[in-house]
Amino acid sequence: MKYCTVLFLLMVLFACQSEKKETPLYQSDAFTLYADKVVQGENQATALSPTHLTSNYKSPASKSYSRLVTFKFSINEKDNELPSGKDHWLVIGEEHESPILRFGELPENAPEGPGTFLPVNYEYTFRVDMSPVVEQFEEKGFYETYDGSRVAKADFKNFYIAGGSEPLTWDFVNLEEEGLQLKDPDGDNIYEITLTLNPYNPEDYQDKEWKLTADLSNRPQYQSDQPIVDALFNLSLEEALLNIEPDSTLRTGAKWAGVWTRDISYSIFLAFAYHEPAVAKISLMKKVKRDRIIQDTGSGGAWPVSSDRTTWALAAWEIYKTTGDRDWLQQAYTIIKNTLEDDYKVLKSTQTGMYRGESSFLDWREQTYPKWMSNMDIYVSENLGTNVVHYQAHIILAEMAKILGEPSEVYTARAEEIKKGINDYLWMADKGYYGQYLYGRQYLNLSPRFEALGEALAILLGVADGDKAQSIIARSPVTDFGVTCIYPQIPGIPPYHNDGIWPFVQSYWNLAAARAGNEKVLNHGLAAIYRAGGLFLTNYENFVAGTGDFLGTEINSHRMLWSMAGNLAMVHRVFMGMSFEVDGLRFSPAIPSSYPGTKKLSNFRYRGAKLNITVEGFGNQIESAMLDGEPMEEAFLPADISGEHLIVIKMNNKPFDGAAIHLVANHYSLPAPQLKQEGAALLWEPIPGAVEYRVYKDGELLEKTTATELEVSKEEVAEYKVSAMDDTGYESFTSEPLRAAPETVVKIVEIEQFTGASQLPYTNYSGTGFVEVSNEKNRSIEVLIDAEEAGEYLIDFRYSNGSGPWNTDNKCAIRDLYSNGERVGSLVFPQRGTDEWSDWGYSNAYVVELNKGRNTLTVSFEPWDVNMNVEVNRAMLDYMRVVGL
C-alpha cells in the first residue's frame, strides 16, 4: 500500500512537471512557443540541449505558387512601360509559352487568382513585340513613355522583364543581375525569355539540425529555464564568430561580405559594443573617409538622398560607454563633428527644423515610398527614424564635447530643434504614434503609415516622452508573426521592407516595449524572435509578414549580423536589463511572467571586470540586488570596477501586463490615385475599394469627396494631391503633386546663355544646349533673371546625371543655390541611370524671394557639397525653371 501511494505521488509529480514544462511561453493561432520548442502547424523546432537544435520546418512557398502571373517589360531596368497599377498578366494552364504581347499596350485588369497552383520547376517562355520602341528609336532618336519621359536611343542598353512570381522580381534596377534580360534570337523585334517558374530545390525542404561546433569558452555563457532561448543565444554567438573576417571586421551576412554603415552601427548598438569591442572599432573605421562617416548605400547615389550615416555615432558612443577608451572618444568626436557640420548645411529644413533624407535602413525606393517619388523627392522628405538618429547624434556629440572640454551648447540646441520638429510635425494624436515621413514637393504632407524602427528609436532615445512611449507601444499595429517594418502595407509591392518582418527591427521594438513597461507587447515580440530563429536554425535577415516564411521576400540571407545582434540583445538588454552609461553599468530587467525561474549570465567582461550575473524571478521591478553578497543601493556598477564579481538580482515576481497590445491582421492600403488636369478640372480614375477621396491644396486638406473630379481655378498657382481612403480608415499615398499654374507665370531660363555649352553628345535637352558641372568645370555659375514684380518664386533645375544607377552607388551631385548673394540651400542632382545622360529630371525646388528687376542666382560648389565618391560630383544642367507664386 505504501509503495502504491509513493508511486501515485511520483506519477502526480511527473504529470505536474510535464504540464509545467508544456505551459507555453506564448500562444496564438499562428504558432506556439514553449520553453524548449516552437510549434507552427506541422512544423516544429526543438532545443535538445543548449548546443543542439532540430527543425523540420518546410516552407509553404512552392505549394502556393499561383498560376496567375503579373509582370511588366522594361527598358534599361526602369519601370517605364505602363502606369503604376497596370500590369500584364497571364493565367498559366498547361501551355509553356505566352502569346506575343505588345510593349506599352494597356492590358485589361487582372482577374482574381484562379485558386490553383503551378507545378514546381515549370519552364515558361514570355514573348513581347518591342517594335513600338525600336520604331521610335529609328524615327525620332528616342522612345516616349506613357508619362511623356523619353528614353534616348543613345542611352539604350537592353530590354527586360519584371514581375512578382519567382524568379521574376519587381526590383527593376537589378533585372540584369537577376538574369531577366530579353533576347531577340531571330532579329524580328520579338523578344523572349525562358524561365523556370516556381523554382524548387529539394535540399531546402529537408529536416535540419544545428550543433555547436565553435569554442565559446571565452564568450559569455547563458543559462535559464527556457532551453530554446539558451540554444539560440549560443547559435547567435557562433554565427557572430563566423562573421568575423580575416581583417577583423564584422561581415554583414553569409551572402554579403563587407561592412555597411547602418548594418554595422545598429548591430554594434544592440550587441557588439560589449561582445566584440575591438572588432567593432575596426569595423566602424572602415566606414570613415576624410574624417567623415561614409554613407555607403542609398537611393540615387547615397548621401544626401540617403542620410542615416549618423547611425555610426550611436555605435561609436556605445563602444566608448562599454570600454571607457578616451583615445577612441577623441577620434570619434572629430569624425562625428565633421559629419554633422556637413549635414547641418545640406540636410536641415528651415521650415521644420528636421533633417531631410530617406528612411533609415528602408533604402529601397518602391518598398516604402509611392512609385511617383524620384530620388530627388526622397531627399526632400523628412523621415521619423532618420531624424531620431540625427537627434541622438547631436546629443552624443554634445556629451562627447563636455567630456573633452569642448563647446557643446550648439549641438544640444540643434538636437532640441530636431526633437521639437519630430513631435510637432510627425506625431499623430488620433492614432497615438508617429507618422513615417513628410513627403511631397513644395508642400509636404504627413504619411500616416507606422514605421516600427523609427517608433522604437523615438522611445529608446528619448524623443517620445513617457506618455507618448506607452501610447506608441500599446496602440501601434503588430501582426501574428511580429511587428512589420511599416503598416499598412503598400499594394503591388512584394515582401521585403514592405510586407516584411525584420528580426533586428523586432529587437529594437522589443527593447522599446521593455522600456515602456508593456509586458504583452514584449512577450509577443520575444516569441517573434525565437520562432524565426528556432524554426529556421539561423538568423535570417527578414521573412514574409503574412506567412512568417523566410522564402518569398525579394532578397534574403542567413547569418545576418544585425539579426544575430538582436537575438543576443534579448538576453543582455531585456532579461539581464543591461544599460551602459558613461560612469557605469545599470541593470533594469524586464521579464514577462511566462519566462520565470533563474537566469545566469557568466563570464561577462565589462571594462576591467569579469561579471557573473544571476536574475531570479520575473517582472520589471527589482526587489533586491546583491554584489558579492552585499546589498546594493541600486542595481548599478561603477565604471572603475575590476576583478571578478557576483551580482544577484531578485525581481518582484509581479506581472506588468496592464497595458494593451494592438494585434491586427496584415492589411494593405489602396493604391495611390493618378491625378491629371484638363482645363479647370482635376481628374483621377476611381480606385476600387475607395469610400472617399481626400484632395489637398498646397499641403492642406481642401475637400473630402466621393467624386473623381474637382473644379479648380485655371488662373491660380497651386499644388494639388489626392489620396484614397478604404473602409477601415487607412489612407493611400497621395498622388504625385500636380502644379497648376498659368503658362504666363512659368519662365524657362537656359543655363547655356551664361556659360559655355557642353560639347558632349547628349540629347533631349531644351534650348541650344546644356552645361556640365563637375569638380573641375563650372564650379560657380551666375544666372541673371529679371522679375516683373518683387515676391516669391519657385525655382528648380532640369538636369541629368548618368554617373550611376537609380538605386545605389555614391555619385549624387550636390551644389548650393544663392539668390543675390544670400544662401538659399543645397541643390541635389541624384543619379538617374548608368551612362543615361540624356535622361532628364528635376532637382529639388526652393521658394526664393526675388527683387523687382535684375536678380543674380548662383549655382556654386561649396566644401560641404563633397559627395561620398569625392572624385565624381557631376551633372548636366539644362535650364532653370522659375514659377511666380
Side-chain angles (χ1 to χ4, degrees):
M1 182 68 179
K2 188 180 291 184
Y3 170 79
C4 293
T5 302
V6 171
L7 181 61
F8 174 76
L9 291 173
L10 288 172
M11 291 175 65
V12 171
L13 180 62
F14 178 80
C16 291
Q17 288 176 336
S18 298
E19 183 179 349
K20 182 179 179 181
K21 183 178 180 182
E22 288 296 306
T23 300
L25 304 179
Y26 175 84
Q27 188 169 25
S28 71
D29 292 339
F31 69 95
T32 302
L33 175 68
Y34 296 94
D36 63 343
K37 63 186 175 185
V38 184
V39 179
Q40 182 181 322
E42 297 179 354
N43 301 306
Q44 180 168 313
T46 304
L48 300 177
S49 77
T51 60
H52 189 189
L53 286 161
T54 62
S55 175
N56 68 349
Y57 181 78
K58 306 293 187 299
S59 169
S62 65
K63 294 181 179 180
S64 56
Y65 193 107
S66 178
R67 290 180 179 272
L68 174 63
V69 177
T70 58
F71 55 96
K72 283 181 178 177
F73 300 106
S74 163
I75 309 172
N76 292 353
E77 299 182 277
K78 291 185 178 179
D79 186 0
N80 50 17
E81 184 200 7
L82 299 169
S84 176
K86 299 292 185 182
D87 302 326
H88 296 291
W89 58 269
L90 294 166
V91 177
I92 300 173
E94 301 302 319
E95 80 281 3
H96 289 263
E97 186 176 71
S98 77
I100 297 175
L101 303 169
R102 188 170 174 83
F103 186 90
E105 193 169 278
L106 282 173
E108 296 179 2
N109 291 331
E112 294 293 324
T116 57
F117 305 106
L118 201 65
V120 299
N121 296 330
Y122 193 90
E123 283 203 354
Y124 195 82
T125 300
F126 295 86
R127 301 185 297 166
V128 58
D129 181 0
M130 300 302 299
S131 296
V133 180
V134 175
E135 289 169 2
Q136 283 198 37
F137 277 166
E138 295 305 316
E139 294 170 6
K140 303 178 180 179
F142 60 84
Y143 173 74
E144 187 166 323
T145 69
Y146 68 89
D147 64 355
S149 60
R150 295 177 177 181
V151 181
K153 179 181 179 182
D155 287 349
F156 172 69
K157 301 183 187 72
N158 288 301
F159 298 122
Y160 301 89
I161 185 172
S165 301
E166 194 179 4
L168 295 175
T169 174
W170 289 116
D171 180 15
F172 281 88
V173 292
N174 286 311
L175 296 177
E176 177 76 34
E177 184 178 325
E178 295 296 330
L180 296 173
Q181 179 186 335
L182 299 163
K183 301 288 187 181
D184 179 8
D186 304 321
D188 58 357
N189 292 335
I190 306 300
Y191 282 74
E192 61 185 50
I193 186 172
T194 300
L195 299 171
T196 301
L197 302 179
N198 198 9
Y200 177 85
N201 181 358
E203 293 183 5
D204 291 337
Y205 295 82
Q206 303 298 315
D207 292 357
K208 294 180 173 64
E209 68 174 351
W210 167 80
K211 289 183 178 180
L212 179 66
T213 57
D215 178 9
L216 302 180
S217 59
N218 64 343
R219 295 300 193 274
Q221 309 293 309
Y222 181 70
Q223 181 181 359
S224 73
D225 293 333
Q226 293 82 38
I228 192 77
V229 177
D230 304 0
L232 289 172
F233 181 84
N234 288 327
L235 180 150
S236 298
L237 282 179
E238 181 176 60
E239 290 198 331
L241 286 175
L242 291 172
N243 274 33
I244 298 177
E245 300 279 51
D247 65 350
S248 294
T249 61
L250 284 162
R251 181 185 181 93
T252 300
K255 292 184 180 179
W256 297 309
V259 181
W260 295 358
T261 303
R262 70 171 66 92
D263 298 55
I264 190 63
S265 299
Y266 281 128
S267 301
I268 288 171
F269 181 91
L270 284 169
F272 295 115
Y274 50 87
H275 265 280
E276 300 288 349
V279 174
K281 288 179 190 176
I282 295 170
S283 299
L284 283 184
M285 290 309 297
K286 285 280 187 181
K287 308 314 300 179
V288 175
K289 187 176 184 179
R290 300 171 52 248
D291 270 345
R292 289 162 172 81
I293 305 164
I294 296 171
Q295 183 81 45
D296 56 6
T297 183
S299 301
W303 186 83
V305 175
S306 194
S307 61
D308 69 340
R309 58 180 176 163
T310 40
T311 52
W312 192 97
L314 278 64
W317 182 235
E318 205 67 16
I319 290 172
Y320 172 70
K321 289 189 293 181
T322 60
T323 64
D325 186 336
R326 183 89 174 198
D327 291 338
W328 170 254
L329 180 72
Q330 180 66 66
Q331 186 177 27
Y333 168 79
T334 301
I335 294 164
I336 297 168
K337 181 176 183 293
N338 291 340
T339 302
L340 294 192
E341 290 298 337
D342 287 352
D343 284 354
Y344 180 75
K345 287 285 192 179
V346 178
L347 300 178
K348 186 185 175 186
S349 164
T350 56
Q351 284 75 35
T352 66
M354 293 191 291
Y355 281 35
R356 302 183 182 99
E358 193 165 44
S359 300
S360 183
F361 114 87
L362 302 173
D363 62 342
W364 188 335
R365 186 168 57 97
E366 296 89 346
Q367 283 283 330
T368 45
Y369 292 92
K371 284 191 173 183
W372 58 260
M373 282 184 73
S374 70
N375 291 319
M376 173 276 291
D377 294 314
I378 292 176
Y379 164 76
V380 170
S381 68
E382 300 171 33
N383 167 258
L384 170 63
T386 301
N387 270 282
V388 175
V389 168
H390 282 296
Y391 161 79
Q392 185 65 8
H394 283 85
I395 291 293
I396 287 168
L397 187 59
E399 291 301 311
M400 288 180 165
K402 291 174 187 175
I403 295 170
L404 295 170
E406 300 285 348
S408 64
E409 293 80 5
V410 63
Y411 307 117
T412 301
R414 290 177 184 176
E416 290 305 314
E417 189 175 6
I418 296 169
K419 180 178 178 179
K420 184 177 186 301
I422 294 170
N423 283 302
D424 286 352
Y425 291 95
L426 301 185
W427 180 253
M428 301 185 296
D430 59 327
K431 294 185 181 295
Y433 51 84
Y434 295 102
Q436 186 180 5
Y437 47 65
L438 300 178
Y439 71 119
R441 295 263 164 84
Q442 180 184 355
Y443 299 97
L444 303 184
N445 287 85
L446 176 61
S447 171
R449 272 185 168 79
F450 161 80
E451 177 196 274
L453 181 60
E455 309 282 354
L457 292 174
I459 294 169
L460 294 170
L461 302 179
V463 169
D465 62 25
D467 289 342
K468 280 189 171 72
Q470 291 184 24
S471 173
I472 290 166
I473 293 299
R475 297 179 64 185
S476 293
V478 296
T479 63
D480 282 343
F481 294 107
V483 63
T484 55
C485 294
I486 61 171
Y487 192 95
Q489 314 310 322
I490 305 170
I493 301 297
Y496 184 60
H497 294 140
N498 185 61
D499 198 19
I501 295 170
W502 288 53
F504 102 88
V505 175
Q506 183 71 64
S507 300
Y508 276 97
W509 181 252
N510 293 354
L511 296 181
R515 177 72 61 84
N518 190 312
E519 182 175 358
K520 292 187 181 76
V521 174
L522 177 58
N523 197 33
H524 170 267
L526 289 168
I529 293 286
Y530 296 135
R531 180 204 71 90
L535 290 176
F536 307 152
L537 299 186
T538 186
N539 288 287
Y540 270 106
E541 182 167 52
N542 52 64
F543 49 89
V544 180
T547 64
D549 189 20
F550 67 89
L551 290 179
T553 63
E554 285 285 76
I555 52 175
N556 208 350
S557 175
H558 61 291
R559 215 178 77 218
M560 282 301 295
L561 188 70
W562 46 15
S563 299
M564 67 184 75
N567 209 313
L568 294 170
M570 296 305 95
V571 166
H572 292 280
R573 294 190 179 274
V574 177
F575 295 140
M576 297 291 114
M578 291 181 175
S579 176
F580 298 92
E581 301 177 6
V582 170
D583 55 352
L585 172 58
R586 190 173 302 279
F587 296 91
S588 51
I591 304 172
S593 57
S594 58
Y595 289 78
T598 300
K599 297 167 179 61
K600 294 183 177 180
L601 183 69
S602 58
N603 197 35
F604 181 77
R605 306 283 177 168
Y606 170 66
R607 299 199 181 189
K610 176 181 174 182
L611 306 179
N612 302 302
I613 308 156
T614 297
V615 177
E616 298 176 353
F618 62 88
N620 68 345
Q621 298 296 320
I622 294 173
E623 188 173 275
S624 66
M626 308 283 284
L627 175 62
D628 300 326
E630 297 294 327
M632 304 169 69
E633 286 189 16
E634 56 179 335
F636 180 82
L637 295 178
D640 60 358
I641 193 170
S642 60
E644 186 168 357
H645 298 278
L646 174 65
I647 299 107
V648 178
I649 297 171
K650 291 185 178 180
M651 307 304 293
N652 66 353
N653 286 327
K654 292 182 180 179
F656 50 105
D657 60 353
I661 180 172
H662 187 38
L663 188 60
V664 298
N666 201 19
H667 184 73
Y668 291 80
S669 69
L670 296 175
Q674 296 179 54
L675 185 61
K676 62 181 179 180
Q677 183 178 13
E678 292 183 3
L682 298 178
L683 306 172
W684 59 94
E685 290 186 7
I687 302 295
V691 297
E692 177 184 274
Y693 300 99
R694 294 187 175 181
V695 182
Y696 296 90
K697 177 184 177 183
D698 294 344
E700 300 293 330
L701 182 63
L702 174 66
E703 186 166 327
K704 297 178 181 180
T705 180
T706 57
T708 55
E709 63 178 276
L710 186 70
E711 292 294 317
V712 297
S713 170
K714 292 192 296 183
E715 303 305 316
E716 186 179 20
V717 179
E719 182 181 88
Y720 294 99
K721 291 173 275 193
V722 61
S723 66
M725 301 293 297
D726 67 21
D727 59 4
T728 63
Y730 285 106
E731 185 176 9
S732 75
F733 285 130
T734 70
S735 62
E736 181 173 6
L738 186 150
R739 166 67 57 193
E743 291 184 5
T744 54
V745 303
V746 181
K747 186 172 185 178
I748 301 300
V749 181
E750 298 290 348
I751 307 295
E752 66 272 17
Q753 297 178 59
F754 303 97
T755 188
S758 171
Q759 299 304 304
L760 292 166
Y762 307 144
T763 61
N764 293 338
Y765 54 83
S766 170
T768 59
F770 54 88
V771 174
E772 179 182 3
V773 295
S774 69
N775 284 346
E776 299 81 24
K777 296 181 179 180
N778 295 310
R779 289 176 65 93
S780 181
I781 301 172
E782 288 191 352
V783 179
L784 304 179
I785 181 171
D786 292 322
E788 293 182 3
E789 300 290 339
E792 291 185 338
Y793 294 80
L794 186 71
I795 293 177
D796 61 6
F797 292 80
R798 190 172 189 249
Y799 81 97
S800 72
N801 181 348
S803 298
W806 267 86
N807 66 318
T808 186
D809 215 333
N810 58 9
K811 304 184 187 76
C812 179
I814 313 164
R815 295 297 184 272
D816 267 39
L817 177 65
Y818 292 81
S819 175
N820 297 319
E822 295 293 324
R823 183 175 185 267
V824 176
S826 292
L827 295 167
V828 298
F829 309 106
Q831 299 163 186
R832 296 185 58 82
T834 303
D835 297 327
E836 295 180 40
W837 289 100
S838 299
D839 185 325
W840 301 88
Y842 287 96
S843 73
N844 56 310
Y846 286 102
V847 175
V848 178
E849 287 277 352
L850 296 182
N851 303 320
K852 184 177 181 178
R854 179 60 53 91
N855 294 266
T856 302
L857 294 172
T858 306
V859 178
S860 176
F861 184 81
E862 302 293 350
W864 50 83
D865 292 329
V866 176
N867 64 13
M868 294 297 100
N869 183 273
V870 180
E871 302 301 324
V872 179
N873 195 326
R874 183 172 180 243
M876 307 299 146
L877 302 186
D878 185 13
Y879 60 72
M880 180 175 74
R881 182 170 59 175
V882 183
V883 181
L885 300 178

